[in-house]
Amino acid sequence: MKAVDTSNQTTGNEESLEGRPLFFCGIGGSGMLPLAQLAKGQGVEVAGSDRSFDQGRTPEKFAWLEKNGFELFAQDGSGITSPDQILIASAAVEDTVPEVARAKELGCERMSRAELLSSMFNAARFSIAVGGTSGKSTVTGMIAWILFEVGHDPTVMNGAVMKNFTHADNPFASARIGSPNVFVSEVDESDGSIALYRPSVGLLLNVSLDHKSIEELRRLFGNFLKASDIAVVNLDDEESRYLKVDKSVSFAVRNQKADITVEPDSIDQSALGIRAAVIDNKERRVFPLILPMPGMHNLSNALAAIAAVHAAGIDVGRAVYALRNFAGLARRFDVVGSTDSGISVIDDFGHNPEKCAATLRTLKATPGRVIAFFQPHGYGPLRQMGEELAGTFARELDDEDVTIMCDPVYFGGTVDRSEGTERIVQMIQSHGGSAEHIPDRKACGERMVEIARPGDRIVIMGARDDTLSTFAKGVFERLS
C-alpha cells in the first residue's frame, strides 16, 4: 500500500498560475464555486460572473462570494479586461457568451474547469480520484473526513457542500483548502475529462447510463483505472468488476470475496442510519461500522471510502471509526424537517436513474407513503435517459405513492425543447405508476401540500438548480 505523503514540498502547480488572474464564467455553479475557492486559497487572483447573479437567484451565495474577496461582474464581458487573464469556462459555454467573445478579442487563454482542476490535482504528491456514475460526492466527502480525522490535511474538491467542514464563515464548503500535497477530488466522466487525471488511488464506484453510452463509459472508466497507481473497484457492480485491473483493492456489500466487505447478517437499517460489521479480508479483521446515514447505497459508499483510504495506507479500523461522525452532504438525502403530524421533507440530488433508485429504495425501506417530486436537469438528459427514469419511478414506488414532475430546468440557450416531462409521466403511467405532470414548479409545491397526509415523506429531487433547496424549505414551511 502507498502511504499518504503530507510533506510540505512544493508541487509546481503554484508556479503555473503565478501572476495569472483567473476569471470564472458561471462562478456560482456547483463545480465552479469550489474550484474558485481552491484557486483563491493558493493565492491566485479570482473574479467571475454568473447568470444567476444577474437574475437575482441565490443572492446569499453571491453576497458571501463578494464578502470573501471574489470580485463579481455582470455576465456582459466587462470582467475580462486583460490578456493576462485566464478564462475558466465549461466546454459547453457557447462562443456567443460575452465573456468568451471578449476573451477571444483580447487573446486570453481559456481553460475548462477540468483542465484547471486536473492541473492542481496531478501536481499533488498524493491524490485520490473518485469516479463513477453515482455516489461520487458522498464518497469524496467520506474520504476527506477520514483523512482529516486521522491527522492528514487534505485539499478537497467536491460537487456538494460537506457538512463536516461547514461553519458560519463558510456555509459553501464544497471545497476544503488544505495541504496541496494531499488532494481528493471527484472526477467527471460526462464530458470525458476523467481522462485528464493521474491519481495515486483511482476509485470506481459504479458504471451505469447517465450522460454517455455504456460503451463510451467502459472506455473512459477503463482508462481511468489503468492511469491510477492503485485502483479501487466495486465488485458488486458488474460493469466495474469487468473493468478491474491487476493492481487493485476491491470492496462490496454482497460479494464476500472482496477485500473490504460486510457480514451480511450484521446489517441493521433504520430511518436514521445503518450498522454493519466491516470485514477486512486481507488481514482477517472485523470492525463495527455505525454510519449516521440511511440506505444500502450509503453502506456501499462507506465501504468504497474505507477501501480507498486503505489503499492509501490507512488502517481499516481507524477509517471505520471516523465515519461515526460523518455528517453527510447537503442535498444528499438531506432532511429539511418533519412536521408535528409526521410529514417529512427531504432534499436530494437524485437526477439519473441510479441516484433516484437509491433514494427511493432508502425511503421505501421504512414505512410511509412517498411523494416524489422530480425536476429534470435539462432537456438533453431527459431525452438520453427518459425511459430508464420512467422505469425507475414505476418500479421503486408502490401504488399508493405519487410522482410529481415539473418541466425541465431551463436558463436559456439553444437546446432542443421539443420533448419534455409529459412524455416521461406518460411512460411512468404506462408502466403502472402514479404520476402527474404539472409544468410550473410552484404549482407542484401547492399540489404536494394539498395531498400530503400524516406519515408521508416528500422528497425533492433534481440537479443543476441551486433554488431546489429553497423550494424544499418552502414546501416544508407551508406544511408546518
Side-chain angles (χ1 to χ4, degrees), residues 346 348 359-360 363 370-374 457-461:
I346 296 141
D348 190 79
T359 297
L360 297 176
L363 288 164
V370 173
I371 300 175
F373 167 81
F374 181 74
R457 282 80 53 75
I458 298 175
V459 59
I460 307 299
M461 291 187 285

Side-chain angles (χ1 to χ4, degrees), residues 289-360:
L289 173 68
I290 301 173
L291 186 67
M293 300 176 71
M296 290 295 289
H297 65 294
N298 278 321
L299 176 58
S300 180
N301 287 339
L303 296 183
I306 293 164
V309 298
H310 184 48
I314 291 169
D315 181 74
V316 171
R318 296 185 73 190
V320 169
Y321 187 79
L323 288 177
R324 293 183 178 209
N325 297 317
F326 181 62
L329 283 79
R331 300 216 67 233
R332 270 51 174 190
F333 208 88
D334 196 353
V335 179
V336 177
S338 297
T339 68
D340 292 340
S341 63
I343 301 172
S344 298
V345 177
I346 296 141
D347 188 16
D348 190 79
F349 189 66
H351 64 280
N352 64 34
E354 187 165 327
K355 286 184 172 72
C356 290
T359 297
L360 297 176

Side-chain angles (χ1 to χ4, degrees), residues 4 147 151 165 183 187 194 208 244 275 310 322 331 365 382 385:
V4 177
L147 291 176
F165 299 118
F183 207 123
V187 293
I194 191 172
S208 64
K244 185 175 180 289
R275 296 178 178 229
H310 184 48
R331 300 216 67 233
L382 199 60
M385 63 183 101

Side-chain angles (χ1 to χ4, degrees), residues 142-183:
M142 287 177 169
I143 292 170
W145 180 243
I146 294 169
L147 291 176
F148 177 81
E149 281 286 271
V150 301
H152 296 295
D153 182 29
T155 289
V156 187
M157 172 69 183
N158 208 335
V161 172
M162 299 172 285
K163 292 183 179 180
N164 285 102
F165 299 118
T166 59
H167 48 80
D169 292 333
N170 184 13
F172 303 105
S174 45
R176 181 182 187 273
I177 300 163
S179 166
N181 296 305
V182 182
F183 207 123

Side-chain angles (χ1 to χ4, degrees), residues 262-269 274-279 286-287 289 299:
V262 294
E263 171 56 51
D265 294 338
S266 71
I267 300 172
D268 180 18
Q269 294 192 70
I274 194 164
R275 296 178 178 229
V278 173
I279 302 171
V286 181
F287 306 94
L289 173 68
L299 176 58

